[in-house]
Amino acid sequence: MSLTAEEILLSIEEIYSQILRDDQFDSYLKHEEELEQLYSDLQKIKLDSKIKPFLEKIHQLNQQLVERMNNEKALLMREKGIFERKKIASVQYSNPATQYDSYFIDKKR
């Protein structure tokens, strides 16, 4: 049974809404194959003007999803930068650059 364009777009809308509610990238990965299949099915269907509101809604949800992913990526990059700086500081303090030898000064002279 093949789906109509409206049914496919409603399915995509439902998946996007679920991903946005979950607010985790893993949720997108979980639905990635299903979304790819729905978009593939949609390409095979002749679209008409009555589905324009559906397309606008899907576009809006897609933009929200991309924005969230970019924000999450930026946050992860900041955390990675902080981690790298802490790692460098830790290495610098735990491994001295020069070895210090003990020596004594003879004050009798």
Side-chain angles (χ1 to χ4, degrees):
M1 178 178 106
S2 74
L3 299 172
T4 65
E6 292 88 359
E7 292 171 330
I8 292 172
L9 290 171
L10 284 172
S11 295
I12 292 171
E13 179 182 354
E14 184 179 309
I15 292 170
Y16 277 172
S17 297
Q18 179 64 43
I19 293 168
L20 289 168
R21 275 192 306 272
D22 290 347
D23 198 27
Q24 292 181 345
F25 184 70
D26 292 341
S27 180
Y28 175 80
L29 294 176
K30 186 171 81 173
H31 295 286
E32 184 177 23
E33 288 181 28
E34 185 179 2
L35 283 169
E36 286 180 15
Q37 183 61 49
L38 288 168
Y39 277 114
S40 175
D41 293 345
L42 189 61
Q43 287 178 339
K44 299 172 188 171
I45 298 175
K46 183 175 179 349
L47 303 177
D48 55 21
S49 61
K50 70 179 181 175
I51 65 164
K52 187 175 180 179
F54 290 107
L55 292 173
E56 290 172 351
K57 178 68 173 172
I58 295 299
H59 178 71
Q60 178 187 12
L61 290 171
N62 185 277
Q63 290 299 101
Q64 290 176 13
L65 187 60
V66 168
E67 184 178 332
R68 281 227 186 130
M69 287 180 177
N70 286 335
N71 290 341
E72 187 173 342
K73 179 182 174 184
L75 176 64
L76 290 172
M77 293 303 288
R78 280 194 300 273
E79 288 176 359
K80 180 183 175 193
I82 291 169
F83 176 76
E84 290 295 326
R85 287 193 299 277
K86 286 181 179 180
K87 182 179 165 185
I88 290 169
S90 174
V91 168
Q92 287 175 346
Y93 286 112
S94 63
N95 297 327
T98 59
Q99 294 288 39
Y100 297 103
D101 293 328
S102 299
Y103 62 93
F104 296 96
I105 300 174
D106 186 7
K107 292 187 178 186
K108 292 183 184 178
R109 295 186 193 186

